[in-house]
Amino acid sequence: MTEPKKLKVATCSLAGCFGCHMSLLDIDEKLFELVKVVEFDRSPITDIKHCGPCDIGIVEGGVCNAENVHVLKEFRRNCRILVAMGACAITGGIPAWRNNVDLWDCFQEVYSYGIGLENGQIPNDPELPLPFDKVHPINEVVRIDYFLPGCPPPADAIWKFLTDLAAGREPKLDYDMLHYD
Amino acid sequence: MTKTFTLDGKVIPFEEGETIMEAAAAAGVYIPHLCHHPEFKPHGSCKLCTVNIGGRLGAACTNRAAEDMAVESETEALNADRRALTQMLFVEGNHVCPSCEKSGNCQLQAVAYHLGMLTPHFTHFYPARDVDASHPDVLLERNRCILCELCVRASRDVDGKNVFGIGGRGIKARLIVNSASGRLADTNLSVTDRAAEVCPTGAIIRKRHGFTVPIGKRLYDHHDIAEVPVAGMERPKRD
Amino acid sequence: MSAQDVCDLPGIVARWHHDPANLVQILREVQDSCGTIPSDTLDRLAKLLDVPRVRIESTASFYAFFHAESHGAYEILFSDNIIDRMAGKEALKQYFCERLWLEPRKLSEDGLVYVDDTADIGLADQAPAMLVNGYAIPSLDKARLDLVAELIRARKPLAEWPPMLFEIPDNLRKPGPLTGEAFAPGAALKAALSRGAETTLAEIDASNLRGRGGAGFKTAVKWASCRKAEGEAHYVVCNADEGEPGTFKDRVLLASHADLVFEGMTVCARVIGARQGLLYLRGEYRNLLEKLKSVLAGRREAGLLGRNILGEQGFDFDIEIHLGAGAYICGEESALIESLEGKPGKPRNRPPFPDRCGYRNQPTVVNNVETFACAAKIAEKGGAWFASLGTPQSAGSKLISISGDCKRPGVYEYPFGVSVRQILIDCGAEDAHAVQVSGPSGTCISFREFDRRIAFEDLATAGAFMVFSRERDMFEVARNFTHFFAHESCGFCTPCRVGTSLLRNIMDKLAAGKGSAYDMNEMKHIMHVLRGTAHCGLGHTAANPVVQTMEKFPDAYEKRLKRLDFEPAFDLDGALQTARLITGRDDEWAHLDND
């Protein structure tokens, strides 16, 4: 008998805090069960830098800069199913609070007037991701197949969601697993 | 003989003049709503309580019950419309649940849970809206306002103060207050006013009371809004 | 300068009887005399009228023609219907702005002049057109705009501008029973008085007259219900808020047949027992106000208004004119009543309908201008005469306002049942490809449907008839209409407040060449929600132009779709522009390929 083919999963965090990834790790001992059916591609867990062809891509965080778009589009190109995980990916979340702050004021605050800065200068290094006027949820940039809300989504919800998907079921969250905070 | 109509096939008794919403609530049947509150005059603006009344769609909170009328509420199609309306309310404002004091006790959020909303779906407007922290006891956070006018009605009809109103029109409609400065502090709002605590979202909240109830113990943490009784929704007892 | 210095607030308030119900009229006069409605005026009005300031501010901030900031000595508003655009409005506006070194929506540096767009001003037959300080100037071209620019530079008061600028011909191309025969003021009333109220109502009933505002409710039923309803007073309200883009037939009725309209209102007053009538005249028809007032004065002198009309003891009735202030929604009868009561024009929850609970919560008949004109004719000539015109289900004649791609735009009076094809022949529209019947909220028909008929049983219409030739882009037509609805949504209900703006944004996205099939589905989804759940007709129909043009002119959309699957909701590269400017970067990583 051959082992059933493992699902290939990639994850990343864009304009997020990695809290959703922490929640993913928070499924604790079930991680052992998870890795029986799942193999990780690009993810903070593996340190693979670029996403290859995957069954499921899970994206944490919203889109706040040009680099986020490159990563997100790479995920969309390579993942059969793309999942928005957590409040920031779904609504922009806390980072979107800056959406009504003038971008010039943001730069000034960070690079010119911030506490402890001397001779502050706004950098023009191409290696720095260039920010957008506003932070956007990822479904405003690419097509998203599933949304898993929460800040972060509870570990149980992530587990339920992934195991549903792995089993080919339409993911369904119980009332206790669905919340936005 | 009591008059009745049917709601999703269930026989609902009603008294002359009652709305579908009032009769349903008295019979313990939940119809999703946000701008409706049993203590105040029906308003009919959020449209979440849209039901099918014998083939015609209408708001349950403003349409009166009538003998033998057949009303549908819990249908896939109506709940899809309600979900879309809720999503519209989410993208219209800046509803950041993770940083909101009302989270867990918020009716907008609870209705969204009830309807199984996983994403606000529509493109966000991210409007620029003011926060007014001028009042010593009450915070006015317009980012969270859904224009249900419950505070307007409460202040006018119960408190007798007219602290709140709606200014502008269309997507630019906004909550305004009764002072030349436009500041809440310059109105005669008191923290004990009905208007200060009737807000279904976190747009009008008492200061220094945020996050007092731990996560897990909040109103809607484990209970669907359909199961949480709202005071006043039962029919007043008549002798 | 504060409003106090230039504006006699107590005088204005006294003229309107210290009645907060007249707030829209009071604010109009304030705005007229001092050019703005400043914040301190709101406080003073609150005191003078003894109502909360918040109520004044609600109303002042609702109407498009009221503003707190100065628009200078000359406020220029270009009519922005698609017909104006087809007639070159955008280029002319730009030309005008360049002549005066102006930017739209920005007060000129010398504080003299302000230029902006406004919704259709009822001159589609003489497009492009504009309002100067509320007064309409039609048939704009460079020469006329040069003249306007000179007058502004010379700071000539509007009263000294050449009257020919403001001349508005009726363009009545095809007269009929309403518009073609001379009417002797009093003729209908005399007939009604000799018949008596009940028999007059029976004649209206026998005529099969249906409301001309578009909905087609049977007039006699409305009048009978109002007549029966109990109340402290009964009111007659004439809806002259002709705001549907492309409609201008009421403009002609009011300009040249006002007696007929007022007489119809007076007949109605006799039937329902009203002592007061109100004509709600859209703000854009400000230029008709003085003339209408003089017609009313003439009727009072002739004993056709006032006490004991035509010697009939106890038959007292008079008519007051209220001006709107730039809100399409006030054409909806219950919103109109709210506006008459000094409030923002938001449609009420119905039932109860106005026939039982209308103006000041009293029984009220609200009818269209044309309906009252018909009623007067019926009172004069009898119900059978009227019923013999038109079709069995649509009795009488209908005024059609024709504009767009045709040789002879203007007002045509047809018996109901006329085919679209016949109308197109009459107005000289040989190359017609599509017609928008009854305005944005009506029906868009393609050349395949030109045998359809104007009648309640086929194409119901309030009167607009906008013709589009083969060269016209029906996508741009629909886009113009979505902008209109988003601007005019009152904001009361969720689906319309949010949905109309979502639709507008998606249409703009498609116009920018960044649309996808996803967006098309999204618009259908929004339309479904609007149709099912919106509070009033505006919301129910707001998506019609998009859905109908999508269905009938799919090519207009398909050629704009960038991808079949999905396109970002915003311009990715454009959203980096601010940061590029701040950082001075222009490297490869500072750009995003929108493909």
Side-chain angles (χ1 to χ4, degrees):
Chain A
M1 251 182 49
T2 52
E3 287 266 308
K5 197 174 163 285
K6 284 187 177 181
L7 283 178
K8 217 161 191 192
V9 176
T11 75
C12 67
S13 180
L14 308 176
C17 68
F18 281 93
C20 297
H21 275 82
M22 297 308 289
S23 197
L24 171 66
L25 295 178
D26 211 24
I27 61 179
D28 297 334
E29 75 283 357
K30 290 193 203 117
L31 272 172
F32 293 108
E33 278 180 60
L34 189 67
V35 293
K36 281 185 202 156
V37 291
V38 156
E39 181 189 352
F40 282 97
D41 190 279
R42 170 177 172 161
S43 167
I45 301 169
T46 62
D47 213 26
I48 297 171
K49 299 295 182 210
H50 287 281
C51 176
C54 284
D55 297 294
I56 302 171
I58 301 175
V59 180
E60 172 189 345
V63 176
C64 77
N65 61 38
E67 188 201 28
N68 291 160
V69 172
H70 291 299
V71 176
L72 184 57
K73 286 194 166 177
E74 180 180 291
F75 266 64
R76 181 69 274 179
R77 273 197 305 277
N78 285 291
C79 302
R80 202 161 49 78
I81 296 171
L82 197 57
V83 182
M85 174 168 67
C88 302
I90 295 173
T91 71
I94 305 280
W97 269 128
R98 82 151 161 92
N99 284 358
N100 286 300
V101 180
D102 186 77
L103 199 56
W104 175 247
D105 292 342
C106 289
F107 270 95
Q108 293 269 301
E109 184 63 28
V110 171
Y111 293 113
S112 305
Y113 306 127
I115 294 166
L117 284 179
E118 273 179 51
N119 301 322
Q121 252 186 22
I122 292 173
N124 59 0
D125 187 338
E127 281 196 0
L128 291 173
L130 199 66
F132 281 129
D133 297 342
K134 288 185 191 313
V135 179
H136 295 263
I138 63 173
N139 66 312
E140 293 185 9
V141 177
V142 297
R143 189 172 49 76
I144 298 299
D145 303 298
Y146 291 100
F147 298 86
L148 178 54
C151 184
D156 288 348
I158 299 176
W159 169 252
K160 173 76 165 51
F161 185 86
L162 285 177
T163 47
D164 276 354
L165 268 188
R169 284 189 300 264
E170 193 65 17
K172 186 150 176 32
L173 300 179
D174 297 337
Y175 186 86
D176 278 353
M177 292 183 189
L178 172 62
H179 56 72
Y180 304 152
D181 60 357
Chain B
M1 269 252 305
T2 324
K3 291 182 176 174
T4 62
F5 68 98
T6 63
L7 180 56
D8 294 323
K10 186 183 168 179
V11 177
I12 308 279
F14 72 96
E15 283 165 25
E16 200 55 47
E18 267 185 335
T19 61
I20 295 169
M21 175 72 83
E22 285 161 350
V29 180
Y30 173 75
I31 301 173
H33 60 270
L34 283 168
C35 72
H36 178 73
H37 191 293
E39 285 174 42
F40 304 104
K41 211 177 122 198
H43 193 57
S45 70
C46 77
K47 301 296 176 196
L48 247 70
C49 70
T50 299
V51 289
N52 189 322
I53 309 164
R56 171 183 69 85
L57 298 187
C61 71
T62 54
N63 277 274
R64 294 220 169 127
E67 183 88 69
D68 296 330
M69 134 200 286
V71 181
E72 287 181 349
S73 174
E74 279 305 310
T75 69
E76 190 75 32
L78 284 169
N79 278 328
D81 287 348
R82 291 169 183 152
R83 198 152 45 239
L85 292 170
T86 310
Q87 289 168 327
M88 286 181 178
L89 288 171
F90 267 88
V91 299
E92 179 193 21
N94 295 305
H95 297 279
V96 190
C97 296
S99 64
C100 179
E101 302 90 324
K102 196 65 178 265
S103 192
N105 299 309
C106 167
Q107 289 177 37
L108 174 66
Q109 193 187 57
V111 163
Y113 293 166
H114 172 81
L115 295 167
M117 185 189 107
L118 298 173
T119 161
H121 175 80
F122 298 110
T123 302
H124 283 71
F125 286 81
Y126 295 123
R129 291 189 184 171
D130 300 332
V131 179
D132 182 346
S134 63
H135 194 282
D137 303 314
V138 179
L139 176 73
L140 176 53
E141 222 302 18
R142 288 188 176 87
N143 288 294
R144 306 165 182 167
C145 177
I146 56 169
L147 301 163
C148 68
E149 297 189 42
L150 271 168
C151 58
V152 178
R153 285 175 276 165
S155 186
R156 183 188 62 210
D157 303 339
V158 178
D159 306 327
K161 288 186 179 178
N162 289 292
V163 170
F164 298 103
I166 302 293
R169 82 175 185 211
I171 196 72
K172 291 180 183 159
R174 63 194 183 275
L175 189 62
I176 56 174
V177 302
N178 194 32
S179 66
S181 64
R183 284 162 23 114
L184 195 59
D186 297 326
T187 70
N188 57 350
L189 179 79
S190 147
V191 70
T192 55
D193 285 356
R194 192 75 179 91
E197 48 98 27
V198 75
C199 180
T201 76
I204 301 172
I205 48 170
R206 281 173 76 185
K207 286 186 173 177
R208 298 176 294 278
H209 286 264
F211 307 113
T212 46
V213 181
I215 291 175
K217 298 231 154 108
R218 300 168 307 181
L219 201 50
Y220 304 115
D221 276 340
H222 303 295
H223 298 285
D224 189 305
I225 190 168
E227 299 156 15
V228 178
V230 177
M233 285 294 267
E234 64 283 349
R235 179 178 289 130
K237 290 222 165 53
R238 294 182 181 86
D239 299 318
Chain C
M1 191 160 46
S2 94
Q4 207 163 340
D5 303 324
V6 288
C7 173
D8 171 26
L9 269 191
I12 293 172
V13 169
R15 211 159 34 248
W16 290 98
H17 324 298
H18 288 89
D19 186 350
N22 293 326
L23 182 58
V24 175
Q25 305 314 303
I26 292 168
L27 289 170
R28 270 210 67 103
E29 289 202 15
V30 172
Q31 169 101 24
D32 261 4
S33 53
C34 63
T36 69
I37 303 175
S39 180
D40 64 329
T41 304
L42 301 183
D43 292 297
R44 294 180 57 222
L45 276 177
K47 283 199 191 77
L48 287 165
L49 291 165
D50 194 25
V51 293
R53 178 201 151 93
V54 75
R55 213 190 119 186
I56 313 260
E57 191 179 346
S58 280
T59 298
S61 59
F62 181 84
Y63 295 90
F65 290 170
F66 297 155
H67 40 85
E69 64 295 337
S70 170
H71 284 184
Y74 302 96
E75 183 199 52
I76 312 278
L77 300 176
F78 282 84
S79 178
D80 192 32
N81 184 4
I82 187 69
I83 303 295
D84 296 291
R85 289 188 167 233
M86 281 155 48
K89 168 248 165 186
E90 280 298 281
L92 284 171
K93 181 174 139 191
Q94 202 186 336
Y95 173 79
F96 183 73
C97 286
E98 279 164 13
R99 284 224 46 167
L100 286 170
W101 296 82
L102 284 176
E103 259 182 76
R105 276 190 294 283
K106 219 174 139 189
L107 184 62
S108 63
E109 279 181 24
D110 52 7
L112 191 63
V113 51
Y114 178 92
V115 173
D116 198 358
D117 287 343
T118 190
D120 180 283
I121 62 171
L123 286 165
D125 57 333
Q126 295 159 60
M130 68 184 191
L131 298 174
V132 181
N133 293 352
Y135 287 86
I137 299 183
S139 305
L140 298 177
D141 55 21
K142 281 189 180 172
R144 280 161 79 83
L145 288 175
D146 286 343
L147 177 56
V148 170
E150 268 170 49
L151 291 162
I152 288 174
R153 275 218 201 90
R155 304 187 182 227
K156 274 246 193 241
L158 210 60
E160 293 169 27
W161 288 25
M164 62 92 176
L165 275 177
F166 302 96
E167 272 166 23
I168 296 172
D170 280 353
N171 282 341
L172 177 66
R173 309 274 184 179
K174 187 179 186 309
L178 291 186
T179 52
E181 299 164 20
F183 174 73
L189 258 181
K190 276 177 203 144
L193 286 175
S194 69
R195 257 192 221 110
E198 214 147 311
T199 319
T200 302
L201 181 58
E203 288 296 327
I204 301 285
D205 187 34
S207 75
N208 281 326
L209 173 63
R210 294 169 68 172
R212 292 324 197 216
F217 194 77
K218 201 170 166 192
T219 305
V221 174
K222 199 184 258 186
W223 289 19
S225 162
C226 184
R227 175 180 158 87
K228 254 196 308 203
E230 282 176 28
E232 292 155 19
H234 287 59
Y235 294 98
V236 180
V237 172
C238 177
N239 182 347
D241 192 53
E242 187 174 49
E244 190 72 43
T247 317
F248 46 83
K249 47 103 188 163
D250 291 344
R251 180 196 87 212
V252 173
L253 280 177
L254 293 167
S256 301
H257 306 272
D259 260 308
L260 199 58
V261 178
F262 290 138
E263 189 127 338
M265 290 176 72
T266 315
V267 169
C268 177
R270 182 64 182 158
V271 169
I272 66 166
R275 296 167 61 89
Q276 199 194 336
L278 295 132
L279 178 101
Y280 188 91
L281 181 68
R282 70 182 304 218
E284 291 81 348
Y285 290 171
R286 171 73 180 79
N287 57 321
L288 294 173
L289 182 64
E290 275 72 30
K291 190 166 175 202
L292 288 170
K293 279 184 171 170
S294 78
V295 173
L296 286 178
R299 292 181 68 83
R300 280 183 204 110
E301 256 171 55
L304 300 171
L305 282 176
R307 290 191 168 273
N308 305 323
I309 291 173
L310 285 175
E312 179 91 354
Q313 283 301 309
F315 180 22
D316 305 339
F317 180 68
D318 212 326
I319 296 171
E320 186 170 86
I321 300 174
H322 278 226
L323 267 177
Y328 164 74
I329 188 60
C330 291
E332 196 280 343
E333 61 177 12
S334 66
L336 184 149
I337 289 169
E338 289 284 295
S339 185
L340 283 175
E341 292 180 359
K343 294 179 255 178
K346 298 182 187 179
R348 293 176 173 177
N349 283 307
R350 294 168 303 160
F353 290 92
D355 54 357
R356 284 180 44 222
C357 181
Y359 181 59
R360 295 178 192 261
N361 295 327
Q362 299 303 316
T364 304
V365 160
V366 185
N367 275 142
N368 182 263
V369 171
E370 190 180 344
T371 313
F372 281 122
C374 291
K377 276 287 178 186
I378 294 162
E380 185 193 7
K381 300 174 86 167
W385 161 79
F386 192 83
S388 71
L389 307 168
T391 75
Q393 282 155 284
S394 310
S397 65
K398 182 76 196 88
L399 297 186
I400 306 288
S401 327
I402 301 177
S403 63
D405 294 316
C406 64
K407 294 203 183 87
R408 293 175 292 279
V411 171
Y412 291 66
E413 187 175 350
Y414 283 104
F416 268 115
V418 64
S419 73
V420 169
R421 194 176 302 286
Q422 184 61 51
I423 298 176
L424 290 170
I425 292 169
D426 293 348
C427 70
E430 285 110 27
D431 196 26
H433 194 58
V435 178
Q436 186 75 28
V437 179
S438 202
S441 72
T443 316
C444 177
I445 61 167
S446 82
F447 55 93
R448 296 179 193 88
E449 304 166 86
F450 285 172
D451 288 321
R452 293 183 67 179
R453 289 170 189 281
I454 300 294
F456 291 110
E457 59 271 29
D458 188 357
L459 288 167
T461 179
F465 192 96
M466 294 185 265
V467 184
F468 304 101
S469 74
R470 210 168 303 278
E471 286 77 54
R472 300 298 177 190
D473 183 347
M474 293 310 289
F475 170 85
E476 279 302 326
V477 174
R479 189 164 79 95
N480 178 262
F481 295 163
T482 57
H483 275 255
F484 169 74
F485 284 123
H487 184 257
E488 298 301 332
S489 169
C490 80
F492 174 76
C493 76
T494 310
C496 181
R497 184 178 68 240
V498 186
T500 54
S501 282
L502 287 171
L503 270 180
R504 175 200 59 202
N505 294 349
I506 297 175
M507 287 297 274
D508 286 352
K509 185 186 172 196
L510 261 65
K514 297 183 193 305
S516 71
Y518 178 92
D519 297 305
M520 301 283 279
N521 285 329
E522 195 74 345
M523 290 201 287
K524 287 181 194 158
H525 175 46
I526 294 164
M527 175 221 68
H528 169 83
V529 177
L530 273 169
R531 266 195 198 158
T533 66
H535 185 62
C536 76
L538 191 156
H540 293 149
T541 56
N544 283 3
V546 174
V547 175
Q548 292 173 357
T549 49
M550 249 193 225
E551 188 191 310
K552 295 175 184 181
F553 304 96
D555 296 355
Y557 287 81
E558 271 153 27
K559 70 177 184 203
R560 288 192 157 79
L561 301 189
K562 191 169 179 190
R563 281 217 177 86
L564 283 180
D565 180 30
F566 185 92
E567 273 296 303
F570 61 100
D571 173 5
L572 297 178
D573 191 60
L576 291 170
Q577 178 62 14
T578 318
R580 277 195 294 266
L581 288 175
I582 294 170
T583 58
R585 278 177 57 181
D586 200 26
D587 55 87
E588 176 192 353
W589 298 100
H591 286 275
L592 277 169
D593 188 354
N594 278 323
D595 296 317

